[in-house]
Amino acid sequence: MTITIVDAKLYIPPARSKAVARPRLLERLNEGLQGKLTILSAAAGYGKTTLASEWLSVCGRRAAWLSLDAGDNDPARFLTYLFAACRSIGVNTGERVYALLQSPQPPPIESLLTALLNEISAESEPSVLILDDYHVIDAGPVNQAVVFLIEHLPPQMHLIIATREDPVLPLPRLRVRHQLTELRAADLRFNASEAAEFLGGVMGLALSAEDVRLLESRTEGWVAGLQLAALSMQGRNDTTGFIQSFTGSHKFVVDYLIEEVLQQQSASIQAFLQFTSVLGRMCGPLCDAVLGEDPEGSPLASGQLTLEYLEHANLFLIPLDNERRWYRYHHLFADLLRERLSQGICPSKGEAERTVSALHIRASRWYEDNGFELEAFHHAAAAGDTERAARLIEGEGMPLLFRGAVTPVLNWLQAMPGEELDAIPSLWVMYASALLMTGRLSSVEQKLQAAEQALHGAVQDEKTRDLIGHIASIRATLAVSKHQADPIIAESRRALEYLHPDNLPVRAAAAWTLGYAYQLQGERGLAGAAYNDALSVSKRIGHIMITMMATLGQGNIQEAENQLPAAAGSYLQVLEWAGDPPLPAACEAHLGLARIYYEWNKWDTAMLHAQQSILLAEQFEDSDRGVAGKVLLARLKLARGEVSEAAAILKQADHVARQRHYWTQIPHIAAVQVPVMLHQGNLEAAAILAEKHGLPLSQAKVNLAREDTSAVLAVLEPVLKQAAANGREDERLKGMILYAAALYRCGDQSGAAHTLAEAMRIAEPGGFIRIFVDEGPEVEKLLRGAAVCEEMQDYRRKLLAAFAAEKPPSIPMRSSGHQVRSDQPLFEKLSGRELEVLQLIAQGLSNREIGDRLFLALSTVKGYNRNIFDKLQVSRRTEAIARARTLGIL
């Protein structure tokens, strides 16, 4: 079996050389392989771990073993070790998964587990996954993750859970489906023959059959009780008398026998056991560090030799690797040792607490010296050494918060009294940063104000100034979530002014927020320079989140400057960094790619990216990115003629934006609602909406629909001048195409052709297509008749082909020469009001008469006409009537 050690947590306990043969249980475990799950459920000391390890040594399957502790209630930590356990048996989950798990906002658990399950399914060799000590898990997300794992577990893998109590899993459903094997206390108890083999063969006691029977009866086959009793009897002459006096429940048995076992050990071994009980896992050098030195500087005991002795003596020590480097105590034994340490070894409670704290500090120092900063922090926190814990949180160049330790740090900070945080203001700042990284934005400002209050009156040394800069950077990031340019700039500049030159992670974040603010203001040159600064630092120090965000910013700028291929390259690079499954921040990259592929007229690809963007955005606690994705989805639906669906999506997006105060999204929603309304013939509402939100391009489209070309030109001319002056190439290109259509509509074919040719020269390098097609038949007619240079001929043919693809099949001719549509179903049904207008058209009423009959403005009636003609794929009233009759509408 392949074994991998990760912080001495993943292991397969080797079977003891003198193990009790228990074929009845091994056979049950073999039978369990027919299902998905085996549960070993019994109280402490029933040999669950030993049985599982013995079975693995003979079952012939690869095994991944994960021993759980309370820290694994953090879903990211649980998944990190789960993936590492699976990698130890060849399930290649990829390095990027670990980066995703350590990110502030990791992907959904289901998506990560799906990736793991896919890799397991690809394996041909069967395997076993063991989750030991599962009773420590009480977190809903971790239980849900295991439920998902069980429900989708491929036949290549079997899951074994060892626990002291039944887990919160769908055990009844698995029983009914014959997918569950259960071994409980009644199964795990030693029978008389097994007890005899254990006491004689393993523990080396020469007992009579009657003594064995009596001891097995008194312990009820409880393995730990048998072991404790055997240890107590070693060296005794009157074993029979001891067995006859041996009575009591498990609790009292443990209390009594632990005392007996410890008293049989030397003073040095007793001290070793109690002092090292503060360690969750231990190795020889770590034990040496915790025990300390004698006055002459020599270790008080050899940690490695003592650990080997304890294992040989069967003193409840479990090896965590085959090399016998890392160990842990049996949990029950460790609990009792720690209780004895805190209550029995020292004459006073205060002295006991000081002793325990000193042991934790020694462990913290060893872990720090050996590069285990998170473990060093845990022991510093356990010691109550706030200053040391604070220093370890800050890290050397990269805080623990930025290295996947947000949850343990935040949990510790939440448990800290306010006065202790006041004494170290940097902890308030770390508190705010942790809340920000976990999406709990509403509480961030309160913590920043507490930090400033704690700093009030402090000397402005380098450390104080750096904290002021960090506070400003956090406030700048808060303003980014609200798209507030001025506060972002003010706080970002303040951050860069105060931050220490060596505080590169926060300086990179401040450079990114500054770039975002410039981008909001349309200062694309300044934004690009700031993003470059952020990238140069973040790449150098490995700050993946800032690297991604700055590259996204660069992609946005490239897209705004009509450099679509370059922008697509930036977004694809972000997706590569984000991994598979991706970080939630990748939603912005998918959104950008959806816009670009739509512009390239690759509707299916655009739709896939839009949907993925929405899914990722839903992982944020409070973000308007989901609304932005819905707006683009509506555009895609509209392009396919699905007007009603587009309107419904926009209505939902508008409701969410208003409910959650995403005010910056309202104009974007309105910009797509306007063409939807134009398709529905609701020109008046479209005009009101465009004017209300100050959308000049939308106003131009409304005026074009009204056939008010002078109003179109009046709106667009200042827009084009301002866009050219400010370098807003995307807005200029859109305006030029609309301007050309308006010139064509008012009879200026020469001016229209010249404007369109100039727009084509701008658009061709980026591969723009939809920007022309979406403006309708005037642009198509211009393309067919306009004179363009030879270099543009291929581009013109591509655009005309896109226009042709938008049209329905050719129309058959009747002998009368009248064109009618076939009975091909409509792409979109007529609305109720459109049917009313169509019926009046069929009755021969003029547009003005229809308006008088339905109390509609003339322009609105004309809009309905255009909408009806578009849906019926006709160009005249007579064709509309004939097509409607063919379809049975009239």
Side-chain angles (χ1 to χ4, degrees):
M1 291 175 285
T2 304
I3 312 299
T4 295
I5 305 300
V6 179
D7 293 342
K9 187 172 179 61
L10 308 178
Y11 69 103
I12 295 178
R16 297 184 184 279
S17 57
K18 294 183 179 181
V20 176
R22 309 187 75 186
R24 62 185 179 88
L25 297 182
L26 299 180
E27 184 59 30
R28 289 279 301 279
L29 290 172
N30 286 333
E31 292 172 356
L33 292 174
Q34 303 300 318
K36 288 186 174 184
L37 173 65
T38 295
I39 291 283
L40 306 179
S41 180
Y46 272 94
K48 301 181 293 293
T49 299
T50 301
L51 174 64
S53 65
E54 290 173 356
W55 176 73
L56 289 176
S57 68
V58 298
C59 76
R61 288 197 173 201
R62 301 175 304 160
W65 188 297
L66 177 53
S67 181
L68 302 168
D69 56 40
D72 295 313
N73 281 291
D74 174 13
R77 171 172 163 151
F78 172 78
L79 290 177
T80 297
Y81 285 120
L82 176 64
F83 276 68
C86 291
R87 288 189 67 189
S88 73
I89 58 171
V91 179
N92 182 21
T93 53
E95 294 293 336
R96 194 174 304 280
V97 170
Y98 294 97
L100 294 175
L101 289 167
Q102 293 172 4
S103 65
Q105 292 179 315
I109 292 176
E110 289 81 2
S111 62
L112 288 167
L113 288 176
T114 298
L116 175 64
L117 291 164
N118 288 337
E119 294 295 335
I120 294 172
S121 298
E123 295 289 320
S124 58
E125 189 176 346
S127 59
V128 179
L129 170 64
I130 300 94
L131 300 181
D132 197 9
D133 297 322
Y134 194 84
H135 53 271
V136 301
I137 299 299
D138 55 19
V142 176
N143 277 318
Q144 291 165 15
V146 176
V147 171
F148 184 88
L149 184 68
I150 294 171
E151 289 178 346
H152 299 87
L153 197 65
Q156 290 91 329
M157 178 172 278
H158 183 77
L159 176 62
I160 296 179
I161 291 179
T163 178
R164 295 183 188 177
E165 57 189 42
D166 278 2
V168 185
L169 301 174
L171 301 184
R173 184 165 72 242
L174 291 169
R175 286 192 196 102
V176 171
R177 296 176 180 176
H178 305 291
Q179 293 291 327
L180 175 64
T181 298
E182 300 171 87
L183 277 75
R184 300 185 174 276
D187 304 297
L188 295 171
R189 290 189 180 107
F190 275 25
N191 57 32
S193 62
E194 291 167 344
E197 183 180 351
F198 173 76
L199 294 168
V202 177
M203 302 305 295
L205 294 175
L207 302 178
S208 67
E210 179 59 24
D211 284 344
V212 170
R213 187 200 62 76
L214 182 58
L215 190 57
E216 185 270 333
S217 174
R218 292 287 173 84
T219 60
E220 298 180 353
W222 183 44
V223 183
L226 287 169
Q227 185 178 3
L228 288 166
L231 288 169
S232 299
M233 286 187 289
Q234 287 177 348
R236 287 180 178 269
N237 294 323
D238 185 14
T239 55
T240 300
F242 175 86
I243 292 170
Q244 291 175 344
S245 65
F246 179 66
T247 60
S249 67
H250 286 176
K251 178 181 184 302
F252 297 113
V253 168
V254 170
D255 290 344
Y256 171 71
L257 292 180
I258 285 291
E259 193 71 22
E260 288 285 317
V261 170
L262 289 177
Q263 286 181 356
Q264 291 185 30
Q265 304 302 317
S266 66
S268 61
I269 291 297
Q270 290 187 49
F272 181 96
L273 290 169
Q274 292 176 73
F275 289 158
T276 57
S277 67
V278 301
L279 303 171
R281 288 170 286 275
M282 65 199 80
C283 63
L286 174 57
C287 292
D288 293 338
V290 169
L291 292 170
E293 300 173 341
D294 61 23
E296 298 180 358
S298 300
L300 291 176
S302 170
Q304 185 62 36
L305 291 177
T306 306
L307 290 172
E308 292 174 3
Y309 161 77
L310 294 174
E311 183 189 5
H312 180 74
N314 289 316
L315 274 173
F316 301 101
L317 191 71
I318 299 175
L320 301 184
D321 57 63
N322 286 333
E323 290 76 26
R324 301 303 205 272
R325 291 184 61 249
W326 286 91
Y327 297 83
R328 71 166 173 87
Y329 291 122
H330 186 287
H331 295 312
L332 180 62
F333 193 59
D335 291 342
L336 291 162
L337 289 173
R338 284 191 287 269
E339 182 178 356
R340 182 179 174 86
L341 174 65
S342 62
Q343 296 181 1
I345 197 171
C346 299
S348 69
K349 181 178 180 181
E351 186 177 349
E353 290 177 350
R354 287 190 292 274
T355 298
V356 173
S357 295
L359 295 172
H360 279 297
I361 290 298
R362 292 174 190 171
S364 178
R365 288 172 181 161
W366 186 88
Y367 274 123
E368 182 181 10
D369 292 342
N370 286 273
F372 299 98
E373 291 182 335
L374 180 57
E375 289 80 359
F377 160 72
H378 282 306
H379 281 284
D385 192 335
T386 305
E387 291 188 3
R388 179 176 182 80
R391 179 179 60 77
L392 289 165
I393 288 174
E394 293 174 0
E396 295 185 7
M398 185 71 77
L400 286 180
L401 293 175
F402 299 156
R403 288 182 279 168
V406 176
T407 299
V409 171
L410 183 56
N411 289 341
W412 178 68
L413 289 169
Q414 288 173 327
M416 291 284 289
E419 55 270 20
E420 291 195 36
L421 297 176
D422 288 338
I424 307 177
S426 63
L427 291 179
W428 281 118
V429 179
M430 286 293 177
Y431 201 164
S433 183
L435 290 170
L436 180 68
M437 294 173 71
T438 53
R440 297 157 64 178
L441 305 185
S442 60
S443 303
V444 172
E445 179 59 31
Q446 177 189 0
K447 305 302 183 265
L448 295 179
Q449 291 179 11
E452 290 175 328
Q453 182 64 31
L455 285 169
H456 184 69
V459 177
Q460 287 233 351
D461 54 13
E462 281 188 349
K463 185 172 182 179
T464 302
R465 287 181 59 83
D466 188 66
L467 282 178
I468 293 172
H470 198 165
I471 291 170
S473 176
I474 293 173
R475 284 197 171 120
T477 307
L478 280 176
V480 164
S481 67
K482 300 176 182 178
H483 313 291
Q484 299 170 335
D486 291 340
I488 297 172
I489 290 175
E491 296 295 347
S492 298
R493 287 175 174 170
R494 179 176 172 81
L496 293 171
E497 176 186 354
Y498 279 87
L499 285 168
H500 192 278
D502 294 337
N503 193 345
L504 298 181
V506 184
R507 293 188 73 87
W512 164 67
T513 55
L514 190 61
Y516 186 81
Y518 288 144
Q519 185 179 333
L520 287 176
Q521 292 182 330
E523 299 288 347
R524 293 169 182 167
L526 293 175
Y531 287 145
N532 286 335
D533 289 343
L535 273 174
S536 65
V537 175
S538 62
K539 285 184 175 180
R540 188 164 75 250
I541 64 176
H543 200 333
I544 187 64
M545 284 301 299
I546 297 300
T547 300
M548 287 175 54
M549 300 310 294
T551 304
L552 280 171
Q554 287 184 330
N556 291 157
I557 293 173
Q558 291 162 340
E559 191 179 351
E561 292 178 345
N562 298 331
Q563 301 172 21
L564 299 192
S570 295
Y571 296 142
L572 289 169
Q573 178 65 74
V574 170
L575 292 185
E576 183 178 338
W577 286 325
D580 184 17
L583 291 167
C587 69
E588 190 67 28
H590 280 292
L591 193 61
L593 287 168
R595 290 190 299 264
I596 291 171
Y597 281 111
Y598 171 71
E599 190 54 57
W600 288 342
N601 209 26
K602 297 180 180 180
W603 192 91
D604 291 336
T605 307
M607 178 60 77
L608 289 174
H609 282 290
Q611 291 169 338
Q612 183 66 14
S613 174
I614 293 169
L615 288 173
L616 289 173
E618 289 173 350
Q619 298 172 31
F620 288 111
E621 184 179 274
D622 186 19
S623 171
D624 64 356
R625 296 298 82 198
V627 172
K630 291 290 181 64
V631 172
L632 181 56
L633 184 62
R635 281 186 62 197
L636 294 173
K637 293 288 186 181
L638 184 60
R640 279 292 176 95
E642 299 170 7
V643 181
S644 298
E645 287 190 39
I649 293 169
L650 290 171
K651 182 178 180 180
Q652 180 192 28
D654 185 75
H655 173 73
V656 172
R658 294 181 188 279
Q659 184 183 51
R660 300 185 181 179
H661 308 297
Y662 299 153
W663 304 121
T664 58
Q665 287 300 318
I666 299 298
H668 298 293
I669 296 170
V672 185
Q673 284 177 323
V674 167
V676 168
M677 291 175 176
L678 294 179
H679 274 77
Q680 294 172 332
N682 200 346
L683 274 67
E684 294 304 320
I688 292 171
L689 193 64
E691 183 176 1
K692 176 181 178 181
H693 294 287
L695 304 171
L697 295 181
S698 296
Q699 289 176 312
K701 291 181 180 181
V702 173
N703 289 327
L704 198 60
R706 287 171 163 172
E707 301 184 4
D708 190 349
T709 53
S710 60
V712 176
L713 299 177
V715 168
L716 290 178
E717 284 172 357
V719 171
L720 290 172
K721 288 180 181 178
Q722 190 174 10
N726 295 334
R728 297 188 178 183
E729 293 301 315
D730 53 344
E731 189 174 332
R732 178 169 173 251
L733 179 58
K734 294 174 185 175
M736 289 175 68
I737 297 171
L738 271 173
Y739 195 76
L743 290 174
Y744 182 85
R745 183 77 67 85
C746 68
D748 186 359
Q749 295 191 13
S750 175
H754 174 77
T755 303
L756 186 66
E758 185 179 356
M760 289 174 64
R761 282 192 291 272
I762 296 171
E764 194 273 338
F768 286 84
I769 294 177
R770 292 303 313 187
I771 199 170
F772 294 94
V773 174
D774 288 344
E775 297 311 328
E778 284 85 1
V779 175
E780 181 184 11
K781 293 171 185 176
L782 266 174
L783 279 169
R784 294 192 183 281
V788 297
C789 61
E790 188 63 31
E791 291 79 5
M792 302 291 289
Q793 290 296 337
D794 288 341
Y795 187 40
R796 180 166 72 170
R797 282 192 286 270
K798 182 184 292 186
L799 292 176
L800 288 172
F803 273 104
E806 296 286 300
K807 294 182 178 179
S810 60
I811 305 170
M813 300 289 293
R814 280 190 179 173
S815 59
S816 62
H818 176 65
Q819 281 188 330
V820 295
R821 298 285 172 176
S822 69
D823 59 355
Q824 179 183 0
L826 296 179
F827 288 108
E828 184 182 11
K829 294 181 180 179
L830 299 179
S831 68
R833 179 49 63 93
E834 289 165 354
L835 284 170
E836 289 180 47
V837 173
L838 179 59
Q839 288 168 352
L840 296 175
I841 290 174
Q843 294 174 20
L845 274 64
S846 68
N847 288 339
R848 187 169 300 279
E849 290 171 334
I850 292 172
D852 293 338
R853 179 77 63 88
L854 299 178
F855 303 99
L856 297 174
L858 179 61
S859 59
T860 303
V861 175
K862 291 180 179 179
Y864 276 121
N865 283 347
R866 279 190 292 273
N867 202 33
I868 292 167
F869 294 173
D870 286 344
K871 290 184 178 181
L872 295 176
Q873 300 296 318
V874 298
S875 57
R876 288 188 293 273
R877 283 180 159 222
T878 53
E879 294 174 4
I881 296 168
R883 169 80 161 133
R885 286 174 176 163
T886 302
L887 294 170
I889 296 174
L890 289 176

